[in-house]
Amino acid sequence: MSAHTASPDTRDDAPPFRYTAALARDIELRWQDWWSEHGTFETPNPAGSLADANLAAARGDKLFVLDMFPYPSGAGLHVGHPLGFIGTDVFARFKRMTGHNVLHTMGFDAFGLPAEQYAVETGQHPAITTDQNITTYRRQLRRLGLAHDPRRSISTTDPDYYRWTQWIFTQIFNAWFDPDAPHDDGVGRGKARPIGELVAEFEIGARPTPDGRDWHTLTTAEQRAVIDGYRLAYVSDAPVNWCPGLGTVVANEEVTADGRSDRGNFPVFKRNMRQWMMRITAYADRLIDDLELLDWTDAIKAMQRNWIGRSEGANVHFPITMNDGRAGDITVFTTRPDTLFGATFMVLAPEHPYVDELTTVDQAAAVADYRRQAASKKDVDRQDENREKTGVWTGAYATNPLSGEQIQIWIADYVLMGYGTGAIMAVPAGDQRDFEFARKFGLPIPAIQEPPAAWFGHRGIEPTIDTSQWPEAFIGDGTYVNSSNDTLDLNGIDNKTDGIATVNAWLEQTGRGEATITYKLRDWLFSRQRYWGEPFPVVYDADGYPHTLPDSMLPVELPETDSFSPRTFDPDDEFSNPESPLDRLDDWVTITLDLGDGPQEYRRDTNVMPQWAGSCWYQLRYCDPSNTEAFIDPVVEEYWVGPQPDARPDHPGGVDLYVGGVEHAVLHLLYARFWHKVLYDLGHLSSKEPYARLFNQGYVQAYAYTDDRGVYVDAKDVEERDGAYFLGDRPVDREYGKMGKSLKNSVSPDEMYDAYGADTLRLYEMATGPLDASRPWETRDVVGMYRFLQRLWRNLIDEQTGECIVVDEPLSDELTKQLHRTIDVVRTEMDALRFNTAIAKLIELNNAVTKLGHTPRAVAEPLVLMAAPLVPHVAEELWRTLGHDDTVTYLPFPEADAQYLVDDTVEVPVQINGKVRSRIVVAAEADRATMEATALADDKVVAAIDGAEPKKIIVVPGRMVNIVV
RNA sequence: GCCCCGGUAGCCCAACGGCAGAGGCAGCGGUCUCAAACACCGUCAAGUGUGGGUUCGAAUCCCACCCGGGGCACCA
């Protein structure tokens, strides 16, 4: 529907000074140059290289507005990308005009898989493609007229930037998590401390070594091993997600629900490998608890809570006897210790280490067979909920610690080794999976709670504790039955909370178990076997122990090489092995350094960091981009992102407004919060959270079309005929989805600049709906905003001569009122990011001016100033035309005079029985009695009531009257 | 299955529990034009997804359900 994007004014007889696309282009390019030359959007800092403390104070209160870090894609921008960028720009510009020192800039998240994949596809070095893409992005963003401070724009690929990413890594590596350390604010415990303090505790014997030996009797290597086991960044040999199709391992957060990589959609396999991990699990509680301090949507908070998956319950020890006669116990994790009396069997994951030691001779063949089957299944398949339950008995028994009964030990693949302890107690009466399993294998299902009558009612059965009558397990609050032993009695308790507390106390008292918490969150797999990322600032000594490099040796620059392509494999080749491109660079890998013990030969780490590393702290660098002494000056940090106790006593600090899509809920947003908290704990930051307020913008969606093979075709080439859609002669099917490359439904902003100009595009994107709503792109609707700008222009400028035609005459009372009401609403709506309603009010005011036939200066000037955040170029031009010579950027936003916001008289509806039957005009401050009397005297009301006696009369002063008859 | 978000005119969207309409698109009629496009002026348009409930009064609050979008899911 390329025809739609042609400019509406293609004729050649347009008035010479009409606001056309060509004129808009001229104005926009001119002002963009002017802003650059004058450094209009440069924002002063309180200290450091960008300091101008006086100017900062003059600008007003600080405000940090941030867009999610864009990846500069090779395809350039489409009109969906800038939705959030324009929103933050309008907000930031508005706030500048209401007395704020606003920090707003944009850099590039240019390391990582997408950038590298693009380079591999195009056969060019990623450094080249990345530079090109950033250049394209900068051009397209500049063309939008975004008021960014260009001095603060950074790229994660700049050595000056990743020097500090590497420095932060060394901070994390050289730190450990002390679960007992009190927080700085005195509330709660658990924080990161420098690793040196741990060493000191071992040395003076304040902390016992893991195996109890005296620290000083350990060999140096043993001491290293102990210390490394505490670090927040550590090398671990554990199950990781190996993705042969990408040639690298990836984090849990990068694996989709169906077991594939979120980049490239390749299969992912669980494999034991030696990899760098980040101990994010240590922060699980704080990452959940501090969500309370954040002004984020409930949806995002829920996603983070869900991902961290904190689950409170108890570990319970079930005594067993091994095949060799040794006594032991199997520990299970349960969230329902109150149902322990109903545990009639136990299920181990097939991989559980005790299986061999428990399986009886009779069952050995069946168990071996089952384990083989389970091993051949992928995790994804094992987790398909609809699968029929399978499992085999090991032949062994455990003792239920509460009932004392002997219960069978089974293995089944619905129990996962990676969660809890890899073993469960099965309570078939109280857990649906266990219920199904017990039914299938004929295991006992004793009732341990009596469900409420309603439960039976819903299922159409009579209340009974004979579970053979039950269609499913009962989960909820019910009165306990069959739940007592000599020292514990739950019978009669009617709710879970009390039941759980009672059992937990008994477990701890008797040593049979203890209350505990488990998490779904795993440690963050941090190394990638790729080229295009930050090298680890790590070398290994002759004994294989890792050392971080001192600050003076940073950055570790990514070595130049032409063989940057990773070794990738058949995506299904599970048993392939990663090969990092840096491994091939022998000259680089081997290095002689003096790390304090004299020159020695070391081997560099050849992994690179994941894409998410650079985005964990970029907003801090925006604050202080050229600091060579620190990643951020503490004074600057406190100014821009420090806590604001005036706003609320427990304000955590962080960016004032962060706008981006919802897709980073458990990736970037979780990792960034984690790094921020570590840096806070180590005393480098005053803020404990990176993003105080998060706003999720909607997506721009568009129709997409598939041909008869189901392949997407270019939406631009599709035509509509008689309600059907065709590509040439071939009919195509219409779909609808997020604009982008994959659906081939992108519209480029360049097309919009050519047809209408950037101001129209900005206005259209903001007018189509509230910022958090997804909306369809309709190119043919854009013209509405273009017409508005043309009318605004025509109200101020003669289209034939280009002269300013505003007149100096007083405003009518009516227009004065409308102006002040508009100001009032526009201020409120812009402040709340509801630009669509602000725009509607401006159009209304402009339409009123149009009707006047001439434009008084007293309305023209505030109209231009109010439009300025939305359409900055044309606003600057009109402001010039009005005879001023300053930029509108820092002019005060118009203020409404309260006296014009109230009416002397109001028209209010009169309802009879809730239906509007008439309207009356009363004084605005008329009291109830006056309104009631006026209403009852109204002709239509008299007629409607028809002599009936009102039963009740409701009067809302200034609003309405309702007469009930 | 569970958790979020949303369903108002042909379309996109407004509406402190109080007159369903601010704005835009499309449609229709007109002005301009040889004609058209552009521009301008005017105009039409739904009773708010469905069913209950609370209330003097419900798009708005509550309950159940339907539809669309997003997230999570043998998590013990």
Side-chain angles (χ1 to χ4, degrees), chain A residues 496-517:
Chain A
K496 284 192 300 190
T497 310
D498 291 348
I500 290 170
T502 307
V503 175
N504 281 351
W506 186 88
L507 287 171
E508 297 200 0
Q509 203 180 342
T510 59
R512 308 268 166 94
E514 56 280 324
T516 188
I517 297 171

Side-chain angles (χ1 to χ4, degrees), chain A residues 742-753:
Chain A
S742 54
L743 298 187
K744 289 197 178 174
N745 59 354
S746 292
V747 176
S748 154
D750 298 324
E751 297 171 44
M752 293 299 111
Y753 302 148

Side-chain angles (χ1 to χ4, degrees), chain A residues 614-658:
Chain A
S615 56
C616 273
W617 72 284
Y618 72 109
Q619 78 282 353
L620 297 172
R621 197 62 181 172
Y622 284 174
C623 298
D624 201 5
S626 43
N627 193 329
T628 54
E629 303 304 310
F631 73 119
I632 184 171
D633 180 329
V635 175
V636 173
E637 190 267 341
E638 181 143 20
Y639 175 76
W640 286 115
V641 294
Q644 298 166 46
D646 292 347
R648 51 181 283 188
D650 56 355
H651 190 283
V655 172
D656 296 290
L657 176 67
Y658 194 23

